[in-house]
Amino acid sequence: MQHGPAVRRRKLGEELRALRDRTGLTSGEAARIAGWHQSKISRIETGRSGVKPEDIRLLLDVYGKVVSPEQRALLEALSASAAGPGAGGGEAAGRGRQWWHDYRGLLPQEYRDFISLEASARSARTVELSVVPGLLQTPEYARAVTRAALGGLPEPKVDALVDVRLARQSVLRADPPLELSAVLDEAVLRRQIGGPGVMAAQLRHLVQVARLPQVRLQVLPFSVGGHLGLTGPFVIFSFPNIADLDVVVLDHLTSSLYLERKEDLEAYSAAFRTIQAHALPPQDSSDLISSLADDA
């Protein structure tokens, strides 16, 4: 388990090395074309140092003939989270100034890493045990969750964090949109966060969002009993066009951890499939959510 920037640097370096190999260039030749010392190419490819987004853009120009537009867009986006604090780059380089850049003073680096991954992913699979996933929250529910989780926070910061939560939801309306598969423990639906009115509105919102073609929402009923998800919530991000970039994100109280080893990804993917198989089908899940909204 590693923190986001270190993992991203390693994976980014692996992909850049593979692209260089496809061009037939040695590291020394690539460095000469880029106007660098060979050791800089080595540090980037082995993930030993942070990498500036402008350096990624220059390398991709050097490797231009073997880089597809999709690969370029994703590698430039990944370079932001690979950089980490103090690397001198902006968020999601190559796509312009991203909206979360405006919240640098408010959001910890790990949360910005998470948002950057979410924004560049093709799909997300998530299991939630306690609260509605951020991508599916209403403003009122998001505010209640933020106040409960971060008690005593000044209202302007609460407002800003809610704005961030809602801005993240733009990935569901992007072109192409993020494909979201979410399994919610029944406890998520029954926990009265924000009071009956807020909860009823949140449940109705879930039913509406579940109708989107790119969203698959299922409920894991109490009747299932014990299940693999009891070890904790998780998210699996998958990315387009570049192999072996899937990542599992585990949230903790003060940090997030990223898992990218093949065996970890296989274990969590298998766990998600098992949990999904035990959950109610999407239509039955929507019916349950609707009935709980009516009773709220």
Side-chain angles (χ1 to χ4, degrees):
M1 292 187 291
Q2 303 180 54
H3 290 287
V7 172
R8 295 288 91 183
R9 285 198 299 269
R10 176 176 57 79
K11 298 300 291 186
L12 185 61
E14 290 174 358
E15 294 299 330
L16 290 171
R17 184 170 61 252
L19 288 175
R20 178 175 59 77
D21 288 342
R22 287 176 58 192
T23 67
L25 294 172
T26 66
S27 59
E29 291 168 339
R32 178 178 53 79
I33 296 172
W36 298 343
H37 192 279
Q38 182 176 355
S39 63
K40 182 170 182 174
I41 292 284
S42 177
R43 290 195 304 271
I44 290 174
E45 291 186 350
T46 57
R48 292 200 304 268
S49 65
V51 54
K52 297 179 180 179
E54 54 265 33
D55 289 342
I56 293 297
R57 290 195 291 271
L58 178 56
L59 271 184
L60 294 180
D61 288 341
V62 172
Y63 307 150
K65 290 184 179 180
V66 300
V67 184
S68 70
E70 295 82 4
Q71 284 177 311
R72 185 180 187 103
L74 181 56
L75 286 169
E76 290 181 354
L78 289 175
S79 70
S81 56
E91 321 296 327
R95 294 186 180 182
R97 181 185 175 90
Q98 295 296 335
W99 60 265
W100 58 87
H101 185 84
D102 295 332
Y103 296 90
R104 289 181 69 93
L106 175 70
L107 305 179
Q109 179 67 36
E110 288 177 347
Y111 193 13
R112 299 202 306 272
D113 287 347
F114 182 90
I115 295 172
S116 180
L117 291 175
E118 186 177 70
S120 57
R122 180 192 72 240
S123 66
R125 291 166 284 169
T126 183
V127 173
E128 285 288 351
L129 306 178
S130 301
V131 297
V132 171
L135 294 180
L136 305 178
Q137 292 179 4
T138 64
E140 295 79 10
Y141 184 94
R143 186 175 303 279
V145 167
T146 301
R147 284 174 174 158
L150 302 170
L153 202 64
E155 279 303 301
K157 288 191 175 182
V158 172
D159 292 341
L161 288 172
V162 172
D163 289 343
V164 169
R165 188 71 51 85
L166 300 179
R168 283 174 48 203
Q169 297 176 5
S170 63
V171 296
L172 296 178
R173 301 185 298 274
D175 184 19
L178 177 75
E179 299 172 8
L180 176 64
S181 295
V183 179
L184 311 185
D185 191 275
E186 188 173 342
V188 173
L189 310 178
R190 295 186 179 275
R191 179 167 289 107
Q192 289 289 318
I193 292 179
V198 169
M199 199 63 207
Q202 175 63 73
L203 294 174
R204 287 192 290 269
H205 179 69
L206 286 177
V207 174
Q208 293 175 350
V209 176
R211 296 190 182 114
L212 295 174
Q214 73 273 22
V215 174
R216 180 182 177 89
L217 180 61
Q218 294 177 258
V219 175
L220 194 64
F222 286 148
S223 59
V224 169
H227 57 82
L228 286 172
L230 292 176
T231 56
F234 61 88
V235 182
I236 306 172
F237 287 122
S238 295
F239 299 88
N241 303 309
I242 298 181
D244 301 324
L245 279 180
D246 288 10
V247 57
V248 178
V249 184
L250 308 177
D251 274 336
H252 295 267
L253 184 61
T254 58
S255 66
S256 295
L257 294 175
Y258 296 71
L259 302 171
E260 292 194 305
R261 294 189 309 167
K262 182 178 180 181
E263 53 266 40
D264 292 325
L265 288 165
E266 289 176 349
Y268 275 89
S269 295
F272 184 83
R273 289 192 297 270
T274 299
I275 294 168
Q276 194 175 48
H278 285 92
L280 298 174
Q283 185 57 57
D284 291 347
S285 296
S286 291
D287 291 344
L288 173 59
I289 296 171
S290 293
S291 68
L292 291 174
D294 292 339
D295 294 340

